Amino acid sequence: MLKRPKFTIAIAITDWHHKNNNGVGTDYMYKLDGVTFRRTISDSYKKGDKFLIIYDSLKPEKSQSLPLYPVKQDYIGLKIPENGWKYEEVPFKIDSNIIREYLNDWNVEPYEYD
């Protein structure tokens, strides 16, 4: 999926719900360079929860939530760059091997760091 990964914080804008005949999910949003992206994921969140996502820097509408990295209360006031973070810029500890394994488990094409 991603050749040029970047990271940002997303916020759940709905609780987990039955969406339609296609299944269930949580709606979330994130902003990059003044553009708001809205997506639905199968992960269960409550409205207002914040979590890390990974996205393609060339196609920012393509994103994947990383539920293994919830945004804890310590980071609620965090200044999020308008164009997201590169891996080494994320202000809390993340592990590229764990992320790669998680994405591979979801049958997402592995990505490479620049």
Side-chain angles (χ1 to χ4, degrees):
M1 174 177 136
L2 302 177
K3 298 286 184 195
R4 293 169 202 82
K6 290 193 81 175
F7 301 84
T8 194
I9 303 298
I11 184 167
I13 55 176
T14 65
D15 289 326
W16 185 87
H17 57 83
H18 286 278
K19 188 132 177 93
N20 54 31
N21 292 338
N22 294 326
V24 295
T26 302
D27 299 330
Y28 71 97
M29 63 167 270
Y30 57 101
K31 293 182 182 182
L32 297 168
D33 293 322
V35 178
T36 300
F37 297 92
R38 288 181 168 76
R39 311 245 321 146
T40 301
I41 50 174
S42 59
D43 299 324
S44 178
Y45 289 104
K46 292 182 180 177
K47 185 176 181 178
D49 285 351
K50 294 183 179 182
F51 48 93
L52 188 68
I53 62 167
I54 186 170
Y55 66 92
D56 186 324
S57 63
L58 295 181
K59 296 177 183 177
E61 67 279 1
K62 294 189 178 216
S63 66
Q64 174 67 44
S65 68
L66 298 172
L68 42 143
Y69 295 109
V71 177
K72 300 188 179 182
Q73 201 62 27
D74 301 354
Y75 296 106
I76 296 301
L78 190 63
K79 174 81 170 127
I80 303 167
E82 284 195 30
N83 63 347
W85 296 292
K86 291 181 181 177
Y87 173 78
E88 63 277 357
E89 297 170 337
V90 176
F92 46 89
K93 186 176 177 160
I94 60 175
D95 186 313
S96 62
N97 291 324
I98 291 172
I99 293 169
R100 186 181 317 270
E101 184 177 312
Y102 177 78
L103 293 177
N104 283 335
D105 285 348
W106 281 94
N107 296 320
V108 177
E109 181 182 324
Y111 56 89
E112 300 169 3
Y113 292 110
D114 290 337

